């Protein structure tokens, strides 16, 4: 049932996006002309030897500390630790502060999708030891009301203890679901 509702919502959002694009077509043409004019100006300034500001992108992918924000919430990297999973395998627990900005109750997992990679291969999501519960891991399933924050933790099985882990967090908010927005950060294991 939840999958049907999610698919209906995605379909509706896609249709609304397409309608918005059609209506704002003339605005896009004006924006493109303004961009072309700015590019021409910068090219002329470069040719004259004047300094131009460095190019900046609206979404940086490689960051020192993950801090993703959207209309539905934010997810900020806090720390990580090497530990064991429920099976006794080496694992990495990654802590974040999640804030819900949506009018609806949400969990961190409903807005953001963190992944861990080691040696270029995705690490499996796992669970901690059942005898020693981790509060931040337990918080993953907790719903938060608007403007509430909570520390959450994701646990991934490691391939080894010497190579770094690349943490990648995808923005899965309704506005950005199909935009491919993400940030990634390197985590050193100690």
């Amino acid at each position: 049932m939840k999958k049907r509702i999610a698919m209906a919502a995605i379909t509706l959002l896609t249709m609304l996006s397409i309608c918005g694009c059609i209506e704002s077509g003339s605005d896009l043409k004006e924006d493109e002309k303004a961009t072309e004019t700015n590019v021409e100006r910068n090219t002329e300034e470069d040719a004259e030897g004047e300094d131009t500001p460095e190019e900046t992108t609206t979404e940086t992918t490689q960051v020192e500390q993950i801090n993703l924000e959207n209309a539905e919430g934010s997810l900020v990297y806090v720390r990580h630790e090497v530990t064991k999973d429920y099976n006794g395998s080496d694992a990495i627990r990654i802590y974040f502060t999640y804030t819900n900005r949506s009018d609806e109750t949400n969990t961190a997992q409903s807005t953001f999708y963190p992944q861990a990679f080691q040696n270029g291969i995705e690490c499996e999501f796992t669970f901690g030891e059942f005898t020693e519960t981790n509060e931040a891991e337990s918080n993953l399933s907790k719903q938060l009301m608007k403007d509430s924050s909570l520390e959450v933790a994701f646990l991934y099985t490691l391939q080894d203890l010497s190579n770094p882990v690349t943490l990648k967090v995808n923005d899965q908010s309704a506005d950005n679901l199909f935009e491919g927005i993400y940030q990634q950060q390197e985590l050193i294991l100690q």
Side-chain angles (χ1 to χ4, degrees), residues 80 82 161 188-190:
H80 67 278
V82 176
L161 293 174
I188 305 299
L189 304 179
Q190 297 177 7

Side-chain angles (χ1 to χ4, degrees), residues 121-139:
I121 301 169
E122 183 176 12
C123 300
E124 291 184 32
F125 180 79
T126 187
F127 298 96
E129 296 180 30
F130 296 115
T131 57
E132 297 178 26
T133 58
N134 180 283
E135 184 178 350
E137 273 182 66
S138 300
N139 290 343

Side-chain angles (χ1 to χ4, degrees), residues 6-15 17-18 170-182:
M7 289 305 295
I10 290 171
T11 303
L12 178 62
L13 288 171
T14 303
M15 290 172 52
S17 296
I18 290 170
N170 296 286
D171 182 338
Q172 291 202 190
S173 63
D175 292 340
N176 299 326
L177 186 60
F178 301 110
E179 300 299 320
I181 296 173
Y182 69 92

Side-chain angles (χ1 to χ4, degrees), residues 37-161:
T37 303
N38 288 336
V39 168
E40 288 171 7
R41 257 190 234 135
N42 287 340
T43 305
E44 290 170 6
E45 289 173 1
D46 287 341
E48 295 171 6
E50 293 181 19
D51 292 333
T52 58
E54 291 183 21
E55 288 184 29
T56 58
T57 58
T58 55
E59 294 298 327
T60 306
T61 55
Q62 187 68 34
V63 295
E64 291 292 319
Q65 177 184 0
I66 289 179
N67 184 357
L68 267 176
E69 289 188 45
N70 58 46
E72 295 177 22
S74 68
L75 192 70
V76 180
Y77 168 84
V78 176
R79 68 186 183 285
H80 67 278
E81 64 187 10
V82 176
T83 186
K84 299 283 185 186
D85 68 5
Y86 73 97
N87 221 8
S89 300
D90 292 323
I92 184 170
R93 183 177 289 122
I94 306 169
Y95 293 86
F96 297 92
T97 299
Y98 167 65
T99 303
N100 179 22
R101 292 201 175 92
S102 171
D103 291 330
E104 302 293 323
T105 59
N106 269 329
T107 65
Q109 296 178 36
S110 62
T111 309
F112 301 99
Y113 180 58
Q115 295 173 284
F117 296 86
Q118 192 175 36
N119 305 314
I121 301 169
E122 183 176 12
C123 300
E124 291 184 32
F125 180 79
T126 187
F127 298 96
E129 296 180 30
F130 296 115
T131 57
E132 297 178 26
T133 58
N134 180 283
E135 184 178 350
E137 273 182 66
S138 300
N139 290 343
L140 277 178
S141 60
K142 290 185 180 174
Q143 296 277 334
L144 272 70
M145 295 179 76
K146 185 175 184 168
D147 297 327
S148 298
S149 296
L150 192 61
E151 184 175 70
V152 297
F154 295 83
L155 190 67
Y156 301 94
T157 304
L158 291 170
Q159 298 168 15
D160 60 64
L161 293 174

Side-chain angles (χ1 to χ4, degrees), residues 1-35:
M1 181 68 178
K2 288 183 179 180
K3 288 182 181 178
R4 289 183 183 175
I5 292 171
M7 289 305 295
I10 290 171
T11 303
L12 178 62
L13 288 171
T14 303
M15 290 172 52
L16 290 173
S17 296
I18 290 170
C19 291
C21 289
I22 292 170
E23 289 179 13
S24 64
S26 61
D27 293 340
L28 288 175
K29 289 179 184 175
E30 290 175 18
D31 289 344
E32 287 173 5
K33 287 179 184 177
T35 302

